[in-house]
Amino acid sequence: MAREQMSEAAERSKSQLAYHWLKERIASEELTPGYRLVLGSIADQLGMSVVPVREAIRRLEAEGLVTFERNVGARVSMIDDTQYRHSMEALAILEGAATALAARHLTDDDLRQARDLNRRLVESLDDFDPHRFTAVNHSFHAVLFAACPNPRMRALVDAEWTRLGHLRDSTFSFVPGRAQESVREHEVLLDLIETGAPLPDIERAARGHRSATLAAYLSHEHPDGVTTSL
């Protein structure tokens, strides 16, 4: 009996150690939002079994720092849903306008580069890595708004992209299914630009594309009906 009590106390101590170890790394953003927490890997790093790690993760989940999904596992939660939503709403408007303003200034080389980047995104869907997808996705959109003749608009878009990078690791970590829809919307946007569509149509497509990603995230994280105003 005493031996069992000692064993339980040791497990609680290890669980406490794992809890503080994980919480410190989440707070410092060493483990970024969306990061998948693999029990075996963490246990190996801490030199313990997965049991105390599992208990630590359950505790972090109760505090809202970790989310758990069936068939996916535990992930670091979004730092601040509200800030993320506000940035995505702002970016939808700013990037939509910047993309429309840039449309008539894009060269054939720019459009070829954008299509090549979107092709890479399509090819990455079979072996999906949300972080790599997000990086290439950023490059794709950067090509489209970089030609915007309004430097202030470009600076605002860049600032919101940077801010989003601090708020979440990758939206596609939470809604990987959104990636397939995203690349199809890229093609539509490129077709509009290449055919010289009216600028309001291009702006609407670019804005709707960003809003759809936000809506997919909100639907996933808040199935109780939270929606975006866009």
Side-chain angles (χ1 to χ4, degrees), residues 188-209:
V188 171
L189 181 57
L190 286 170
D191 288 344
L192 288 171
I193 293 172
E194 286 186 333
T195 58
L199 296 185
D201 291 352
I202 295 172
E203 180 172 357
R204 188 159 43 248
R207 177 175 175 175
H209 170 66

Side-chain angles (χ1 to χ4, degrees), residues 56-124:
I57 287 177
R58 285 175 180 166
R59 185 174 170 186
L60 291 166
E61 182 184 8
E63 295 178 2
L65 295 176
V66 168
T67 55
F68 184 87
E69 295 180 49
R70 187 180 299 276
N71 300 324
V72 175
R75 295 183 186 275
V76 177
S77 299
M78 294 289 290
I79 294 175
D80 190 324
D81 248 6
T82 302
Q83 289 187 38
Y84 169 75
R85 178 171 59 83
H86 289 168
S87 279
M88 284 290 280
E89 289 175 346
L91 187 58
I93 295 169
L94 294 168
E95 191 174 73
T99 300
L101 289 171
R104 302 293 190 252
H105 301 276
L106 292 169
T107 66
D108 290 342
D109 285 342
D110 291 331
L111 292 171
R112 273 195 295 271
Q113 183 182 0
R115 288 206 179 272
D116 286 343
L117 287 167
N118 200 46
R119 194 173 299 115
R120 285 175 55 190
L121 291 173
V122 172
E123 292 169 352
S124 74

Side-chain angles (χ1 to χ4, degrees), residues 144-210:
L144 297 188
F145 68 72
C148 175
N150 185 324
R152 180 59 182 158
M153 185 74 73
R154 292 198 309 270
L156 289 170
V157 174
D158 285 334
E160 286 306 321
W161 266 102
T162 300
R163 180 175 172 79
L164 281 172
H166 292 307
L167 293 174
R168 60 94 175 95
D169 189 18
S170 168
T171 304
F172 298 103
S173 294
F174 296 85
V175 283
R178 169 64 189 149
Q180 293 183 347
E181 299 171 0
S182 183
V183 295
R184 286 195 292 268
E185 291 166 9
H186 288 173
E187 289 295 333
V188 171
L189 181 57
L190 286 170
D191 288 344
L192 288 171
I193 293 172
E194 286 186 333
T195 58
L199 296 185
D201 291 352
I202 295 172
E203 180 172 357
R204 188 159 43 248
R207 177 175 175 175
H209 170 66
R210 179 67 53 198

Side-chain angles (χ1 to χ4, degrees), residues 6-80:
M6 290 177 63
S7 176
E8 289 176 3
E11 288 298 313
R12 284 197 299 272
S13 177
K14 290 179 181 178
S15 176
Q16 188 78 352
L17 173 64
Y19 166 80
H20 286 296
W21 188 87
L22 287 165
K23 189 167 187 177
E24 287 174 3
R25 280 155 181 77
I26 291 172
S28 67
E29 296 187 23
E30 181 179 336
L31 300 180
T32 52
Y35 184 91
R36 187 176 174 222
L37 300 171
V38 181
L39 272 65
S41 176
I42 296 170
D44 288 343
Q45 290 183 67
L46 295 177
M48 61 179 67
S49 71
V50 298
V51 175
V53 175
R54 184 180 294 112
E55 290 301 318
I57 287 177
R58 285 175 180 166
R59 185 174 170 186
L60 291 166
E61 182 184 8
E63 295 178 2
L65 295 176
V66 168
T67 55
F68 184 87
E69 295 180 49
R70 187 180 299 276
N71 300 324
V72 175
R75 295 183 186 275
V76 177
S77 299
M78 294 289 290
I79 294 175
D80 190 324

